[in-house]
Amino acid sequence: MKSAVLAGLRTQETEESWAQKLDEAALLCEACGIEVKTRLTQKAQKRHPRTLFGSGKVNELKQACEAQSAEGIVFVNELTGIQTRNLEQETGFPVIDRSALILEIFERRARTRQAHLQVEAARLAYQLPRLIEGQIHADQQQGGGVRNRGTGETRLERSRRTIEKQIRNIRLELDQLKLQQAVQSHRRRQSGLPRVCLIGYSNAGKSSLMNALLSLRSISPAKQVASADQLFATLDSATRRIKLAGRAEMLLSDTVGFVRDLPDFLLDAFESTLQEIQEADLLMEVIDASDPQWELQHEIVMRTLHRLHAAHIDRMRIYNKADQVPQWDRKDGLLLSCLTGQGLQELIAGLISRLNLTDRAFPEIGDEFSSQVSYNEDERGE
């Protein structure tokens, strides 16, 4: 699907909140390489159980796709398997919802074995209830006699068991990788280096900040992390050892960004990656100060931290993209720019103070400290 009509049902959201939801969905489409031809929304008190929209709006949706030469439909709302099937039948176009869109983005961004396994586990967890709902119509029991009973149910049950077995197998492999992570984490603790984790809304500039700190210390570009001006540019956590000043050093980890209403199955699947957050000594929350919705994004980050049981960890607030902000009066965080370098020296001084780092030497970390798995490479930045 290279182009689509962006659709959604507005129920209780305010006009401003709904507009923000649509804008973010459009950015998700862009991150997935889907051009949004037009937007079509309906306001109603409740969802239509068959098609989410009413029949008249479904017909309008079909006409919009035809008029705009769109290849499919992306719904902002979560759809059931039956709703997806009915919408596809009545419009004649493929239909996906926001969760499926995020899964597609994650699948495209996955680069390592761990990321691929996590995405596959999430995809199966997403598919499981929709498979059951979507196949009921095709597997109905035939007749009323006892001998004919259970024909469809057996088929559905078999499909469900197959998917559950696949999920179990994936989790077993992820558990093996998690054991390797535990060994790595133990070595970090033995090093005595403070562990700092970058968190924040997707596309706030976490990876850019890590690269800016690495560049400031003239560290090889090969040790920088991938960054891009798009949602979910980073999936795999990456950790680098960074010298702040003198002998003051820290381990800095980059993690996957958050978005509103991040599905539970994605949080569950990426548990091992997000464990970096739970084990940190300090969380650096990166906020895009140029985004008019930054306060809402901060609230979403905080809600996600509560879901991860990490809200108690000490936090440092970083307002990024100072070069795009004409005036800034807030004093509850540090304003900086990863692009121009403004505020980076102040950040380093703040980290040394916050982490209570002195001019003490940390032990050398050789090959034994480097990750033994490909998904989380630790490198000493000198």
Side-chain angles (χ1 to χ4, degrees):
M1 187 188 299
K2 295 182 179 179
S3 61
V5 171
L6 184 61
L9 181 70
R10 175 185 164 195
T11 52
Q12 299 178 344
E13 297 92 346
T14 64
E15 188 172 344
E16 181 183 7
S17 175
W18 181 245
Q20 292 170 356
K21 214 169 195 177
L22 287 174
D23 289 343
E24 184 172 277
L27 288 174
L28 288 171
C29 288
E30 181 183 335
C32 200
I34 299 174
E35 178 189 359
V36 176
K37 293 287 190 177
T38 189
R39 302 179 183 186
L40 185 67
T41 65
Q42 182 179 34
K43 185 177 180 181
Q45 295 297 320
K46 59 181 181 179
R47 301 171 171 227
H48 193 288
R50 285 193 68 258
T51 53
L52 190 75
F53 280 170
S55 57
K57 207 67 176 180
V58 171
N59 188 50
E60 187 179 340
L61 184 59
K62 178 182 179 180
Q63 293 174 354
C65 289
E66 293 171 344
Q68 297 291 331
S69 299
E71 295 182 8
I73 303 165
V74 175
F75 267 85
V76 179
N77 312 83
E78 192 90 1
L79 298 175
T80 66
I82 291 176
Q83 287 171 340
T84 301
R85 182 205 67 195
N86 291 339
L87 283 165
E88 288 182 339
Q89 288 179 346
E90 296 189 23
T91 63
F93 290 91
V95 175
I96 61 173
D97 62 12
R98 181 176 177 273
S99 292
L101 183 64
I102 293 175
L103 271 174
E104 178 67 22
I105 297 171
F106 274 39
E107 190 169 358
R108 294 186 183 195
R109 299 281 191 277
R111 293 290 179 270
T112 63
R113 178 61 180 167
Q114 186 196 34
H116 281 293
L117 287 171
Q118 290 170 326
V119 171
E120 180 63 10
R123 186 185 66 78
L124 291 169
Y126 169 83
Q127 179 185 347
L128 186 58
R130 289 161 179 81
L131 173 72
I132 294 171
E133 292 175 345
Q135 287 191 347
I136 289 175
H137 70 286
D139 295 331
Q140 292 295 326
Q141 299 170 6
Q142 302 295 320
V146 173
R147 301 178 72 168
N148 290 329
R149 217 170 102 195
T151 305
E153 181 181 354
T154 301
R155 208 154 145 206
L156 285 173
E157 186 67 20
R158 187 163 57 245
S159 298
R160 184 181 65 83
R161 284 200 304 269
T162 299
I163 290 180
E164 289 178 339
K165 183 178 179 181
Q166 289 175 315
I167 292 175
R168 285 196 300 271
N169 290 339
I170 290 172
R171 286 176 177 168
L172 284 173
E173 189 169 349
L174 284 171
D175 285 343
Q176 291 299 313
L177 294 178
K178 196 173 180 179
L179 287 174
Q180 296 179 27
Q181 276 186 313
V183 172
Q184 185 182 26
S185 180
H186 177 68
R187 289 172 178 165
R188 289 177 186 166
R189 285 191 294 271
Q190 284 185 322
S191 75
L193 287 165
R195 292 170 294 175
V196 180
C197 196
L198 291 164
I199 63 168
Y201 209 77
S202 186
N203 204 31
K206 299 182 298 300
S207 299
S208 296
L209 179 55
M210 174 177 272
N211 289 336
L213 288 171
L214 290 170
S215 297
L216 194 65
R217 293 306 173 209
S218 302
I219 295 174
S220 167
K223 296 183 180 181
Q224 295 192 354
V225 297
S227 64
D229 185 18
Q230 57 186 198
L231 297 178
F232 298 122
T234 299
L235 280 193
D236 305 294
S237 67
T239 300
R240 300 292 184 265
R241 181 172 181 170
I242 296 179
K243 181 180 290 186
L244 297 173
R247 294 178 177 177
E249 296 177 283
M250 69 175 183
L251 291 173
L252 183 63
S253 297
D254 189 15
T255 59
V256 62
F258 304 145
V259 294
R260 76 181 75 203
D261 303 324
L262 194 64
D264 286 335
F265 61 79
L266 277 176
L267 280 180
D268 292 341
F270 279 75
E271 178 188 3
S272 55
T273 298
L274 294 171
Q275 191 175 358
E276 296 284 346
I277 296 173
Q278 298 166 331
E279 296 180 351
D281 298 305
L282 175 68
L283 300 178
M284 289 172 58
E285 182 189 357
V286 182
I287 296 171
D288 182 355
S290 68
D291 195 316
Q293 303 174 27
W294 74 262
E295 289 181 286
L296 172 64
Q297 294 173 355
H298 166 68
E299 292 176 7
I300 292 167
V301 168
M302 291 307 301
R303 287 200 296 267
T304 308
L305 285 180
H306 279 286
R307 290 169 67 183
L308 294 172
H309 307 291
H312 65 283
I313 300 173
D314 189 24
R315 290 187 305 279
M316 186 176 185
R317 193 177 295 189
I318 309 297
Y319 293 105
N320 187 28
K321 305 186 182 180
D323 52 295
Q324 300 179 29
V325 180
Q327 184 177 356
W328 194 259
D329 300 322
R330 297 187 67 94
K331 305 297 182 183
D332 57 347
L334 178 65
L335 181 67
L336 57 76
S337 170
C338 297
L339 183 64
T340 66
Q342 173 188 336
L344 287 180
Q345 292 295 346
E346 290 85 348
L347 172 61
I348 289 173
L351 285 168
I352 292 174
S353 174
R354 196 72 167 259
L355 296 169
N356 195 27
L357 291 172
T358 58
D359 195 33
R360 59 191 173 96
F362 288 102
E364 287 295 322
I365 297 177
D367 293 337
E368 76 281 0
F369 182 79
S370 298
S371 173
Q372 297 180 14
V373 287
S374 62
Y375 57 79
N376 191 8
E377 183 183 18
D378 289 282
E379 300 186 44
R380 180 177 174 86
E382 294 289 359

